[in-house]
Amino acid sequence: QLQLQESGPGLVKPSETLSLTCTVSGGSISRSSYYWGWIRQPPGKGLELIGTIYYSGSTYYNPSLKSRVTISVDTSKNQFSLKLTSVTAADTAVYYCARQGAGSYNWFDPWGQGTLVTVSS
Amino acid sequence: DIQMTQSPSSVSASVGDRVTITCRASQGISSWLAWYQQKPGKDPKLLIYAASSLQSGVPSRFSGSGSGTDFTLTISSLQPEDFATYYCQQANSFPFTFGPGTKVDIK
């Protein structure tokens, strides 16, 4: 059974860089037909796709965040990572990683349990 | 970006009720729509994909329909474990966007 687990600091200072890693277990991140994504949810609010990556390194970033986002993949560790620079309080959210189908099957399943990142000094 | 709207934003219902949630896309997305269920403090769970296909393991009381711009999620007989927030997501074009959610709570 495929499982995803987010890890990283729960508190980041304003203007600094948020860094998270998603570890995939129960399956290979290098399997074709799947992308791997980051999605966030501010407290009490809805879901926002940050971006996705293919095992080859091909990425898609949400234009609303593109200037601040980098998603990378480490196939040797079966992990992919998120970096978000110049964070503000508006970036406070639960950050989820999830598997996305490739081609036209662009829905997300399964998801990690999520990790709350708070931006505060 | 394709904007997604949902109605109602919340609904109060009783166990056994039939509940219908509507999702509308700002432009046509064929059948490229998914529905998720999210319980407090938990990650979203995929219920329906491609507008009407039931994800493996999801009870058959959940069903989806629609194409183009208008979609519905129906729970035929609400069960205690169904009280949650439901989100639609368009899977037609990047960036994939989600609706604002519909909270189903106990009447």
Side-chain angles (χ1 to χ4, degrees):
Chain A
Q1 181 182 359
L2 191 77
Q3 293 185 314
L4 292 83
Q5 178 69 59
E6 305 88 352
S7 59
L11 181 64
V12 181
K13 290 183 168 57
S15 80
E16 296 190 345
T17 297
L18 179 160
S19 297
L20 296 174
T21 295
C22 182
T23 300
V24 178
S25 60
S28 173
I29 202 170
S30 299
R31 180 179 173 181
S32 60
S33 300
Y34 293 111
Y35 280 75
W36 305 89
W38 288 98
I39 298 151
R40 70 180 183 178
Q41 184 173 36
K45 296 187 178 180
L47 299 158
E48 178 184 36
L49 175 66
I50 299 169
T52 66
I53 190 166
Y54 196 57
Y55 76 91
S56 63
S58 175
T59 53
Y60 291 88
Y61 298 141
N62 192 323
S64 68
L65 297 166
K66 187 174 183 177
S67 64
R68 300 194 290 131
V69 172
T70 302
I71 298 175
S72 58
V73 64
D74 187 336
T75 55
S76 67
K77 295 182 179 179
N78 228 32
Q79 295 176 333
F80 61 106
S81 298
L82 168 70
K83 290 190 185 298
L84 181 65
T85 62
S86 304
V87 298
T88 69
D91 295 310
T92 294
V94 175
Y95 285 76
Y96 295 101
C97 58
R99 183 182 69 176
Q100 175 204 326
S104 297
Y105 306 114
N106 300 312
W107 28 85
F108 296 93
D109 179 71
W111 297 53
Q113 64 183 30
T115 186
L116 174 63
V117 178
T118 302
V119 178
S120 175
S121 55
Chain B
D1 298 5
I2 297 175
Q3 306 303 315
M4 306 300 292
T5 58
Q6 289 181 232
S7 61
S9 57
S10 65
V11 57
S12 295
S14 300
V15 172
D17 284 354
R18 181 182 184 91
V19 173
T20 298
I21 298 168
T22 297
C23 175
R24 177 165 290 175
S26 61
Q27 63 189 74
I29 58 170
S30 185
S31 294
W32 301 119
L33 185 100
W35 289 97
Y36 301 86
Q37 175 193 68
Q38 186 178 35
K39 297 181 180 180
K42 300 295 187 182
D43 58 289
K45 301 294 186 190
L46 179 66
L47 297 176
I48 302 282
Y49 60 93
S52 61
S53 295
L54 196 66
Q55 174 70 346
S56 176
V58 174
S60 59
R61 61 181 180 272
F62 290 94
S63 64
S65 65
S67 67
T69 60
D70 295 317
F71 303 86
T72 58
L73 173 70
T74 299
I75 310 172
S76 61
S77 178
L78 198 67
Q79 298 302 300
E81 60 268 31
D82 300 337
F83 292 97
T85 300
Y86 294 85
Y87 294 93
C88 61
Q89 176 231 325
Q90 65 86 9
N92 182 75
S93 60
F94 200 87
F96 311 121
T97 45
F98 296 83
T102 295
K103 184 176 182 180
V104 178
D105 59 22
I106 301 172
K107 190 171 186 179

PDB file of all heavy atoms in Angstrom, chain B residues 71-100:
ATOM      1  N   PHE B  71     -21.576  19.791 -12.350  1.00  0.00           N
ATOM      2  CA  PHE B  71     -21.364  18.463 -11.774  1.00  0.00           C
ATOM      3  C   PHE B  71     -22.086  18.351 -10.433  1.00  0.00           C
ATOM      4  O   PHE B  71     -22.329  19.360  -9.761  1.00  0.00           O
ATOM      5  CB  PHE B  71     -19.865  18.231 -11.553  1.00  0.00           C
ATOM      6  CG  PHE B  71     -19.050  18.369 -12.803  1.00  0.00           C
ATOM      7  CD1 PHE B  71     -18.593  19.609 -13.223  1.00  0.00           C
ATOM      8  CD2 PHE B  71     -18.763  17.254 -13.585  1.00  0.00           C
ATOM      9  CE1 PHE B  71     -17.858  19.745 -14.385  1.00  0.00           C
ATOM     10  CE2 PHE B  71     -18.024  17.378 -14.752  1.00  0.00           C
ATOM     11  CZ  PHE B  71     -17.571  18.631 -15.151  1.00  0.00           C
ATOM     12  N   THR B  72     -22.427  17.114 -10.079  1.00  0.00           N
ATOM     13  CA  THR B  72     -23.042  16.883  -8.781  1.00  0.00           C
ATOM     14  C   THR B  72     -22.422  15.679  -8.100  1.00  0.00           C
ATOM     15  O   THR B  72     -22.013  14.713  -8.752  1.00  0.00           O
ATOM     16  CB  THR B  72     -24.562  16.654  -8.894  1.00  0.00           C
ATOM     17  OG1 THR B  72     -24.801  15.541  -9.749  1.00  0.00           O
ATOM     18  CG2 THR B  72     -25.268  17.867  -9.435  1.00  0.00           C
ATOM     19  N   LEU B  73     -22.357  15.761  -6.789  1.00  0.00           N
ATOM     20  CA  LEU B  73     -22.013  14.640  -5.922  1.00  0.00           C
ATOM     21  C   LEU B  73     -23.260  14.341  -5.103  1.00  0.00           C
ATOM     22  O   LEU B  73     -23.822  15.247  -4.483  1.00  0.00           O
ATOM     23  CB  LEU B  73     -20.850  14.991  -4.997  1.00  0.00           C
ATOM     24  CG  LEU B  73     -20.515  13.944  -3.919  1.00  0.00           C
ATOM     25  CD1 LEU B  73     -19.913  12.704  -4.547  1.00  0.00           C
ATOM     26  CD2 LEU B  73     -19.583  14.528  -2.861  1.00  0.00           C
ATOM     27  N   THR B  74     -23.672  13.084  -5.100  1.00  0.00           N
ATOM     28  CA  THR B  74     -24.861  12.680  -4.351  1.00  0.00           C
ATOM     29  C   THR B  74     -24.488  11.606  -3.353  1.00  0.00           C
ATOM     30  O   THR B  74     -23.762  10.666  -3.684  1.00  0.00           O
ATOM     31  CB  THR B  74     -25.952  12.163  -5.296  1.00  0.00           C
ATOM     32  OG1 THR B  74     -26.332  13.196  -6.203  1.00  0.00           O
ATOM     33  CG2 THR B  74     -27.185  11.723  -4.504  1.00  0.00           C
ATOM     34  N   ILE B  75     -24.964  11.795  -2.133  1.00  0.00           N
ATOM     35  CA  ILE B  75     -24.893  10.757  -1.109  1.00  0.00           C
ATOM     36  C   ILE B  75     -26.318  10.263  -0.925  1.00  0.00           C
ATOM     37  O   ILE B  75     -27.192  11.018  -0.494  1.00  0.00           O
ATOM     38  CB  ILE B  75     -24.329  11.290   0.218  1.00  0.00           C
ATOM     39  CG1 ILE B  75     -23.019  12.061  -0.024  1.00  0.00           C
ATOM     40  CG2 ILE B  75     -24.093  10.132   1.202  1.00  0.00           C
ATOM     41  CD1 ILE B  75     -22.492  12.791   1.195  1.00  0.00           C
ATOM     42  N   SER B  76     -26.568   9.012  -1.273  1.00  0.00           N
ATOM     43  CA  SER B  76     -27.965   8.548  -1.377  1.00  0.00           C
ATOM     44  C   SER B  76     -28.633   8.381  -0.021  1.00  0.00           C
ATOM     45  O   SER B  76     -29.829   8.633   0.125  1.00  0.00           O
ATOM     46  CB  SER B  76     -28.020   7.233  -2.153  1.00  0.00           C
ATOM     47  OG  SER B  76     -27.263   6.237  -1.483  1.00  0.00           O
ATOM     48  N   SER B  77     -27.862   7.970   0.972  1.00  0.00           N
ATOM     49  CA  SER B  77     -28.399   7.791   2.322  1.00  0.00           C
ATOM     50  C   SER B  77     -27.277   8.114   3.299  1.00  0.00           C
ATOM     51  O   SER B  77     -26.402   7.284   3.539  1.00  0.00           O
ATOM     52  CB  SER B  77     -28.904   6.357   2.501  1.00  0.00           C
ATOM     53  OG  SER B  77     -29.383   6.171   3.829  1.00  0.00           O
ATOM     54  N   LEU B  78     -27.313   9.291   3.837  1.00  0.00           N
ATOM     55  CA  LEU B  78     -26.228   9.796   4.658  1.00  0.00           C
ATOM     56  C   LEU B  78     -25.985   8.933   5.890  1.00  0.00           C
ATOM     57  O   LEU B  78     -26.936   8.572   6.604  1.00  0.00           O
ATOM     58  CB  LEU B  78     -26.543  11.234   5.069  1.00  0.00           C
ATOM     59  CG  LEU B  78     -25.395  12.105   5.560  1.00  0.00           C
ATOM     60  CD1 LEU B  78     -24.410  12.376   4.427  1.00  0.00           C
ATOM     61  CD2 LEU B  78     -25.940  13.423   6.128  1.00  0.00           C
ATOM     62  N   GLN B  79     -24.731   8.592   6.103  1.00  0.00           N
ATOM     63  CA  GLN B  79     -24.329   7.794   7.255  1.00  0.00           C
ATOM     64  C   GLN B  79     -23.533   8.646   8.233  1.00  0.00           C
ATOM     65  O   GLN B  79     -22.977   9.693   7.851  1.00  0.00           O
ATOM     66  CB  GLN B  79     -23.508   6.595   6.804  1.00  0.00           C
ATOM     67  CG  GLN B  79     -24.273   5.636   5.910  1.00  0.00           C
ATOM     68  CD  GLN B  79     -25.524   5.096   6.594  1.00  0.00           C
ATOM     69  OE1 GLN B  79     -25.449   4.462   7.648  1.00  0.00           O
ATOM     70  NE2 GLN B  79     -26.681   5.369   6.000  1.00  0.00           N
ATOM     71  N   PRO B  80     -23.439   8.243   9.498  1.00  0.00           N
ATOM     72  CA  PRO B  80     -22.721   9.080  10.496  1.00  0.00           C
ATOM     73  C   PRO B  80     -21.296   9.414  10.082  1.00  0.00           C
ATOM     74  O   PRO B  80     -20.815  10.521  10.361  1.00  0.00           O
ATOM     75  CB  PRO B  80     -22.759   8.203  11.749  1.00  0.00           C
ATOM     76  CG  PRO B  80     -23.959   7.345  11.587  1.00  0.00           C
ATOM     77  CD  PRO B  80     -24.068   7.068  10.115  1.00  0.00           C
ATOM     78  N   GLU B  81     -20.642   8.484   9.394  1.00  0.00           N
ATOM     79  CA  GLU B  81     -19.244   8.715   9.005  1.00  0.00           C
ATOM     80  C   GLU B  81     -19.107   9.655   7.809  1.00  0.00           C
ATOM     81  O   GLU B  81     -17.987   9.988   7.417  1.00  0.00           O
ATOM     82  CB  GLU B  81     -18.549   7.388   8.706  1.00  0.00           C
ATOM     83  CG  GLU B  81     -19.163   6.570   7.594  1.00  0.00           C
ATOM     84  CD  GLU B  81     -20.199   5.576   8.096  1.00  0.00           C
ATOM     85  OE1 GLU B  81     -20.878   5.843   9.116  1.00  0.00           O
ATOM     86  OE2 GLU B  81     -20.324   4.503   7.431  1.00  0.00           O
ATOM     87  N   ASP B  82     -20.228  10.078   7.225  1.00  0.00           N
ATOM     88  CA  ASP B  82     -20.178  10.953   6.048  1.00  0.00           C
ATOM     89  C   ASP B  82     -20.150  12.432   6.404  1.00  0.00           C
ATOM     90  O   ASP B  82     -20.020  13.273   5.504  1.00  0.00           O
ATOM     91  CB  ASP B  82     -21.384  10.681   5.149  1.00  0.00           C
ATOM     92  CG  ASP B  82     -21.448   9.246   4.658  1.00  0.00           C
ATOM     93  OD1 ASP B  82     -20.385   8.587   4.626  1.00  0.00           O
ATOM     94  OD2 ASP B  82     -22.555   8.790   4.314  1.00  0.00           O
ATOM     95  N   PHE B  83     -20.299  12.757   7.673  1.00  0.00           N
ATOM     96  CA  PHE B  83     -20.258  14.164   8.062  1.00  0.00           C
ATOM     97  C   PHE B  83     -18.821  14.652   7.918  1.00  0.00           C
ATOM     98  O   PHE B  83     -17.906  14.183   8.605  1.00  0.00           O
ATOM     99  CB  PHE B  83     -20.809  14.354   9.471  1.00  0.00           C
ATOM    100  CG  PHE B  83     -22.290  14.070   9.537  1.00  0.00           C
ATOM    101  CD1 PHE B  83     -22.763  12.828   9.945  1.00  0.00           C
ATOM    102  CD2 PHE B  83     -23.209  15.031   9.150  1.00  0.00           C
ATOM    103  CE1 PHE B  83     -24.121  12.561   9.981  1.00  0.00           C
ATOM    104  CE2 PHE B  83     -24.575  14.771   9.182  1.00  0.00           C
ATOM    105  CZ  PHE B  83     -25.025  13.525   9.589  1.00  0.00           C
ATOM    106  N   ALA B  84     -18.633  15.582   6.980  1.00  0.00           N
ATOM    107  CA  ALA B  84     -17.295  15.989   6.553  1.00  0.00           C
ATOM    108  C   ALA B  84     -17.438  17.174   5.602  1.00  0.00           C
ATOM    109  O   ALA B  84     -18.555  17.642   5.346  1.00  0.00           O
ATOM    110  CB  ALA B  84     -16.601  14.830   5.833  1.00  0.00           C
ATOM    111  N   THR B  85     -16.303  17.631   5.087  1.00  0.00           N
ATOM    112  CA  THR B  85     -16.302  18.659   4.041  1.00  0.00           C
ATOM    113  C   THR B  85     -15.918  18.009   2.719  1.00  0.00           C
ATOM    114  O   THR B  85     -15.018  17.165   2.669  1.00  0.00           O
ATOM    115  CB  THR B  85     -15.325  19.788   4.388  1.00  0.00           C
ATOM    116  OG1 THR B  85     -15.724  20.393   5.630  1.00  0.00           O
ATOM    117  CG2 THR B  85     -15.324  20.856   3.296  1.00  0.00           C
ATOM    118  N   TYR B  86     -16.635  18.386   1.667  1.00  0.00           N
ATOM    119  CA  TYR B  86     -16.442  17.798   0.352  1.00  0.00           C
ATOM    120  C   TYR B  86     -15.926  18.867  -0.622  1.00  0.00           C
ATOM    121  O   TYR B  86     -16.446  19.986  -0.664  1.00  0.00           O
ATOM    122  CB  TYR B  86     -17.758  17.196  -0.153  1.00  0.00           C
ATOM    123  CG  TYR B  86     -18.179  16.025   0.695  1.00  0.00           C
ATOM    124  CD1 TYR B  86     -18.895  16.212   1.870  1.00  0.00           C
ATOM    125  CD2 TYR B  86     -17.820  14.719   0.349  1.00  0.00           C
ATOM    126  CE1 TYR B  86     -19.238  15.142   2.684  1.00  0.00           C
ATOM    127  CE2 TYR B  86     -18.169  13.643   1.147  1.00  0.00           C
ATOM    128  CZ  TYR B  86     -18.869  13.860   2.321  1.00  0.00           C
ATOM    129  OH  TYR B  86     -19.201  12.793   3.121  1.00  0.00           O
ATOM    130  N   TYR B  87     -14.893  18.485  -1.378  1.00  0.00           N
ATOM    131  CA  TYR B  87     -14.286  19.391  -2.341  1.00  0.00           C
ATOM    132  C   TYR B  87     -14.332  18.783  -3.742  1.00  0.00           C
ATOM    133  O   TYR B  87     -14.086  17.579  -3.902  1.00  0.00           O
ATOM    134  CB  TYR B  87     -12.805  19.649  -2.002  1.00  0.00           C
ATOM    135  CG  TYR B  87     -12.559  20.390  -0.716  1.00  0.00           C
ATOM    136  CD1 TYR B  87     -12.340  19.697   0.472  1.00  0.00           C
ATOM    137  CD2 TYR B  87     -12.514  21.780  -0.687  1.00  0.00           C
ATOM    138  CE1 TYR B  87     -12.097  20.373   1.663  1.00  0.00           C
ATOM    139  CE2 TYR B  87     -12.274  22.462   0.501  1.00  0.00           C
ATOM    140  CZ  TYR B  87     -12.063  21.751   1.665  1.00  0.00           C
ATOM    141  OH  TYR B  87     -11.826  22.432   2.840  1.00  0.00           O
ATOM    142  N   CYS B  88     -14.599  19.615  -4.734  1.00  0.00           N
ATOM    143  CA  CYS B  88     -14.411  19.192  -6.113  1.00  0.00           C
ATOM    144  C   CYS B  88     -13.076  19.742  -6.608  1.00  0.00           C
ATOM    145  O   CYS B  88     -12.538  20.708  -6.050  1.00  0.00           O
ATOM    146  CB  CYS B  88     -15.562  19.642  -7.007  1.00  0.00           C
ATOM    147  SG  CYS B  88     -15.825  21.430  -7.119  1.00  0.00           S
ATOM    148  N   GLN B  89     -12.538  19.120  -7.639  1.00  0.00           N
ATOM    149  CA  GLN B  89     -11.260  19.537  -8.222  1.00  0.00           C
ATOM    150  C   GLN B  89     -11.321  19.325  -9.723  1.00  0.00           C
ATOM    151  O   GLN B  89     -11.663  18.236 -10.182  1.00  0.00           O
ATOM    152  CB  GLN B  89     -10.100  18.721  -7.653  1.00  0.00           C
ATOM    153  CG  GLN B  89      -8.736  19.026  -8.272  1.00  0.00           C
ATOM    154  CD  GLN B  89      -7.994  17.790  -8.745  1.00  0.00           C
ATOM    155  OE1 GLN B  89      -8.074  16.724  -8.129  1.00  0.00           O
ATOM    156  NE2 GLN B  89      -7.254  17.918  -9.837  1.00  0.00           N
ATOM    157  N   GLN B  90     -10.986  20.367 -10.479  1.00  0.00           N
ATOM    158  CA  GLN B  90     -10.930  20.186 -11.930  1.00  0.00           C
ATOM    159  C   GLN B  90      -9.557  19.627 -12.302  1.00  0.00           C
ATOM    160  O   GLN B  90      -8.519  20.069 -11.797  1.00  0.00           O
ATOM    161  CB  GLN B  90     -11.232  21.500 -12.676  1.00  0.00           C
ATOM    162  CG  GLN B  90     -10.247  22.630 -12.500  1.00  0.00           C
ATOM    163  CD  GLN B  90      -9.050  22.581 -13.467  1.00  0.00           C
ATOM    164  OE1 GLN B  90      -9.009  21.785 -14.403  1.00  0.00           O
ATOM    165  NE2 GLN B  90      -8.059  23.450 -13.224  1.00  0.00           N
ATOM    166  N   ALA B  91      -9.580  18.613 -13.163  1.00  0.00           N
ATOM    167  CA  ALA B  91      -8.367  17.919 -13.575  1.00  0.00           C
ATOM    168  C   ALA B  91      -8.124  18.112 -15.073  1.00  0.00           C
ATOM    169  O   ALA B  91      -7.461  17.293 -15.705  1.00  0.00           O
ATOM    170  CB  ALA B  91      -8.490  16.440 -13.233  1.00  0.00           C
ATOM    171  N   ASN B  92      -8.685  19.173 -15.613  1.00  0.00           N
ATOM    172  CA  ASN B  92      -8.617  19.402 -17.062  1.00  0.00           C
ATOM    173  C   ASN B  92      -7.355  20.131 -17.483  1.00  0.00           C
ATOM    174  O   ASN B  92      -6.732  19.794 -18.494  1.00  0.00           O
ATOM    175  CB  ASN B  92      -9.841  20.210 -17.491  1.00  0.00           C
ATOM    176  CG  ASN B  92      -9.885  20.454 -18.991  1.00  0.00           C
ATOM    177  OD1 ASN B  92     -10.189  19.550 -19.755  1.00  0.00           O
ATOM    178  ND2 ASN B  92      -9.566  21.669 -19.405  1.00  0.00           N
ATOM    179  N   SER B  93      -6.989  21.169 -16.731  1.00  0.00           N
ATOM    180  CA  SER B  93      -5.838  21.976 -17.138  1.00  0.00           C
ATOM    181  C   SER B  93      -5.119  22.562 -15.932  1.00  0.00           C
ATOM    182  O   SER B  93      -5.742  22.900 -14.919  1.00  0.00           O
ATOM    183  CB  SER B  93      -6.267  23.098 -18.089  1.00  0.00           C
ATOM    184  OG  SER B  93      -7.198  23.943 -17.468  1.00  0.00           O
ATOM    185  N   PHE B  94      -3.796  22.646 -16.053  1.00  0.00           N
ATOM    186  CA  PHE B  94      -2.970  23.161 -14.971  1.00  0.00           C
ATOM    187  C   PHE B  94      -3.090  24.683 -14.901  1.00  0.00           C
ATOM    188  O   PHE B  94      -3.167  25.327 -15.942  1.00  0.00           O
ATOM    189  CB  PHE B  94      -1.511  22.775 -15.215  1.00  0.00           C
ATOM    190  CG  PHE B  94      -0.674  22.839 -13.975  1.00  0.00           C
ATOM    191  CD1 PHE B  94      -0.592  21.748 -13.116  1.00  0.00           C
ATOM    192  CD2 PHE B  94       0.004  23.992 -13.650  1.00  0.00           C
ATOM    193  CE1 PHE B  94       0.159  21.815 -11.979  1.00  0.00           C
ATOM    194  CE2 PHE B  94       0.761  24.072 -12.503  1.00  0.00           C
ATOM    195  CZ  PHE B  94       0.849  22.976 -11.661  1.00  0.00           C
ATOM    196  N   PRO B  95      -3.149  25.292 -13.714  1.00  0.00           N
ATOM    197  CA  PRO B  95      -3.082  24.627 -12.416  1.00  0.00           C
ATOM    198  C   PRO B  95      -4.421  24.012 -12.021  1.00  0.00           C
ATOM    199  O   PRO B  95      -5.455  24.660 -12.111  1.00  0.00           O
ATOM    200  CB  PRO B  95      -2.716  25.761 -11.463  1.00  0.00           C
ATOM    201  CG  PRO B  95      -3.300  26.976 -12.105  1.00  0.00           C
ATOM    202  CD  PRO B  95      -3.190  26.756 -13.594  1.00  0.00           C
ATOM    203  N   PHE B  96      -4.387  22.771 -11.603  1.00  0.00           N
ATOM    204  CA  PHE B  96      -5.614  22.107 -11.172  1.00  0.00           C
ATOM    205  C   PHE B  96      -6.140  22.840  -9.946  1.00  0.00           C
ATOM    206  O   PHE B  96      -5.395  23.124  -9.013  1.00  0.00           O
ATOM    207  CB  PHE B  96      -5.336  20.633 -10.876  1.00  0.00           C
ATOM    208  CG  PHE B  96      -4.585  19.960 -11.993  1.00  0.00           C
ATOM    209  CD1 PHE B  96      -3.356  19.377 -11.768  1.00  0.00           C
ATOM    210  CD2 PHE B  96      -5.096  19.946 -13.280  1.00  0.00           C
ATOM    211  CE1 PHE B  96      -2.651  18.789 -12.796  1.00  0.00           C
ATOM    212  CE2 PHE B  96      -4.395  19.369 -14.323  1.00  0.00           C
ATOM    213  CZ  PHE B  96      -3.170  18.787 -14.085  1.00  0.00           C
ATOM    214  N   THR B  97      -7.411  23.162  -9.958  1.00  0.00           N
ATOM    215  CA  THR B  97      -7.991  23.990  -8.916  1.00  0.00           C
ATOM    216  C   THR B  97      -9.128  23.264  -8.218  1.00  0.00           C
ATOM    217  O   THR B  97      -9.799  22.405  -8.808  1.00  0.00           O
ATOM    218  CB  THR B  97      -8.491  25.316  -9.491  1.00  0.00           C
ATOM    219  OG1 THR B  97      -9.216  25.070 -10.708  1.00  0.00           O
ATOM    220  CG2 THR B  97      -7.332  26.249  -9.805  1.00  0.00           C
ATOM    221  N   PHE B  98      -9.331  23.647  -6.962  1.00  0.00           N
ATOM    222  CA  PHE B  98     -10.332  23.033  -6.109  1.00  0.00           C
ATOM    223  C   PHE B  98     -11.479  24.010  -5.861  1.00  0.00           C
ATOM    224  O   PHE B  98     -11.283  25.228  -5.848  1.00  0.00           O
ATOM    225  CB  PHE B  98      -9.720  22.662  -4.759  1.00  0.00           C
ATOM    226  CG  PHE B  98      -8.640  21.612  -4.824  1.00  0.00           C
ATOM    227  CD1 PHE B  98      -7.334  21.957  -5.142  1.00  0.00           C
ATOM    228  CD2 PHE B  98      -8.934  20.276  -4.572  1.00  0.00           C
ATOM    229  CE1 PHE B  98      -6.335  20.988  -5.204  1.00  0.00           C
ATOM    230  CE2 PHE B  98      -7.945  19.303  -4.623  1.00  0.00           C
ATOM    231  CZ  PHE B  98      -6.647  19.664  -4.946  1.00  0.00           C
ATOM    232  N   GLY B  99     -12.650  23.455  -5.608  1.00  0.00           N
ATOM    233  CA  GLY B  99     -13.751  24.265  -5.145  1.00  0.00           C
ATOM    234  C   GLY B  99     -13.531  24.663  -3.698  1.00  0.00           C
ATOM    235  O   GLY B  99     -12.655  24.119  -3.028  1.00  0.00           O
ATOM    236  N   PRO B 100     -14.343  25.587  -3.187  1.00  0.00           N
ATOM    237  CA  PRO B 100     -14.170  26.093  -1.816  1.00  0.00           C
ATOM    238  C   PRO B 100     -14.657  25.141  -0.740  1.00  0.00           C
ATOM    239  O   PRO B 100     -14.402  25.384   0.446  1.00  0.00           O
ATOM    240  CB  PRO B 100     -14.993  27.379  -1.820  1.00  0.00           C
ATOM    241  CG  PRO B 100     -16.030  27.137  -2.865  1.00  0.00           C
ATOM    242  CD  PRO B 100     -15.375  26.305  -3.923  1.00  0.00           C
TER     243      PRO B 100
END
